[in-house]
Amino acid sequence: MRKKILLLATLIGLLALLSGCTDINTPIDENTEGFWAEYFVYPMSMLITYFAELFGENYGLSIVIVTIIIRLVLLPLNVKQLKSSKAMQDIQPELKEIQKKYSSKDANTQQKLQQETMALFQKHGVNPLAGCLPIFIQMPVLIAIYHAIMRTEAIKHHEFLWFQLGESDPYYILPLIAGGATFLQQKLMMAGSPAGQNPQMAVMLYVMPIMITVFAIFFPSALALYWVVGNVFMVAQTIFIRKPMMKDKSTGGDKK
């Protein structure tokens, strides 16, 4: 779990670094050169602009639509993540037995621990990296959205609801909602699982929402809007996908 927290912190730091070290003040168009601008930022700018024009130049609504589209595209990966997370929870008793068996810290014992752990993962089809994949994929998207906002004047200066897309939320409403939705989504994920009793998971339950909230406070409201819509989508996904998954598992166990 510490690795996940460190990974998230590293990715957010990377976002901040790229945001500060790359050119975000020069307007972008079809003639802008550079791999990143040509294949990531400009297409994202055009996608947001396209949907905005469909709804009367409403760039805020467009970001909501684009966020939902991105989440739908990532849905298969997220379902795979949920299944892997559930499988990881199911094998915790066996994993603890292996760790207890090879508790010695010498190199030979630790090698055997790794071998048996990997064998256990393969036996149950568990991929410990599955939970990180959606995060890795989302980061370039998030950075592209940020650059598209800052380098497209129409998006940057558009006002939606009570905020301007290119500025941070003056009332901190979006960051708080983003953090709250993150907390709810993780709470739903842990409900009825052994992970809910894990102290490290309990720490993650609070650390992740705080990091998302702080992240959303200092960046443009459009990114906070992306997080809010994305997290609400994840809450719905958890309710409609994970809960039936756990119910089927429980029913299968009763039948046996």
Side-chain angles (χ1 to χ4, degrees):
M1 193 52 56
R2 291 178 182 175
K3 291 181 179 179
K4 287 187 177 181
I5 297 175
L6 181 60
L7 173 63
L8 182 64
T10 302
L11 291 175
I12 291 178
L14 178 61
L15 174 60
L17 179 64
L18 289 176
S19 301
C21 295
T22 54
D23 186 6
I24 60 171
N25 297 316
T26 304
I28 192 168
D29 55 38
E30 67 275 9
N31 297 318
T32 304
E33 298 181 351
F35 178 84
W36 174 250
E38 186 176 351
Y39 293 101
F40 286 88
V41 181
Y42 182 67
M44 183 62 69
S45 174
M46 288 297 96
L47 184 63
I48 295 174
T49 301
Y50 171 77
F51 284 108
E53 291 174 349
L54 290 180
F55 296 94
E57 303 295 324
N58 192 328
Y59 290 93
L61 180 59
S62 175
I63 289 174
V64 172
I65 294 171
V66 169
T67 303
I68 294 173
I69 292 173
I70 292 171
R71 289 295 181 177
L72 288 173
V73 171
L74 292 176
L75 186 58
L77 281 178
N78 289 326
V79 171
K80 186 175 181 179
Q81 175 190 7
L82 286 172
K83 290 181 177 179
S84 181
S85 176
K86 181 64 175 65
M88 180 67 80
Q89 293 167 10
D90 292 339
I91 67 171
Q92 284 303 306
E94 295 180 68
L95 187 58
K96 287 180 180 179
E97 285 296 322
I98 294 175
Q99 291 171 344
K100 184 178 179 181
K101 180 180 178 182
Y102 298 103
S103 58
S104 177
K105 300 300 181 182
D106 64 273
N108 187 43
T109 303
Q110 288 299 301
Q111 184 178 4
K112 289 181 180 179
L113 172 63
Q114 292 179 6
Q115 290 173 349
E116 290 211 17
T117 300
M118 292 306 299
L120 181 65
F121 288 163
Q122 292 175 1
K123 177 183 175 182
H124 294 276
V126 175
N127 181 3
L129 298 179
C132 301
L133 188 57
I135 298 177
F136 274 117
I137 293 177
Q138 283 188 68
M139 289 311 295
V141 174
L142 191 61
I143 298 172
I145 290 175
Y146 174 79
H147 282 246
I149 294 163
M150 303 308 291
R151 300 181 68 176
T152 307
E153 293 297 318
I155 303 175
K156 180 179 179 180
H157 298 295
H158 180 78
E159 292 187 0
F160 181 66
L161 299 178
W162 66 89
F163 52 87
Q164 186 171 302
L165 294 177
E167 302 291 335
S168 58
D169 184 348
Y171 304 111
Y172 308 115
I173 296 174
L174 282 178
L176 291 174
I177 295 175
T182 302
F183 177 84
L184 178 59
Q185 191 264 333
Q186 291 192 133
K187 191 73 173 177
L188 290 171
M189 282 282 292
M190 294 181 187
S193 71
Q197 308 300 321
N198 189 322
Q200 290 183 332
M201 289 297 293
V203 171
M204 190 66 173
L205 178 64
Y206 296 99
V207 170
M208 188 81 150
I210 291 173
M211 292 182 70
I212 293 297
T213 302
V214 172
F215 172 81
I217 286 174
F218 292 101
F219 281 87
S221 295
L223 287 185
L225 180 63
Y226 171 84
W227 276 107
V228 167
V229 176
N231 286 337
V232 170
F233 185 97
M234 291 292 288
V235 168
Q237 171 188 285
T238 303
I239 293 173
F240 291 106
I241 296 178
R242 184 179 182 274
K243 283 195 172 183
M245 187 188 303
M246 292 192 68
K247 183 178 179 181
D248 291 343
K249 186 75 176 178
S250 176
T251 304
D254 292 341
K255 287 181 180 180
K256 290 180 182 178

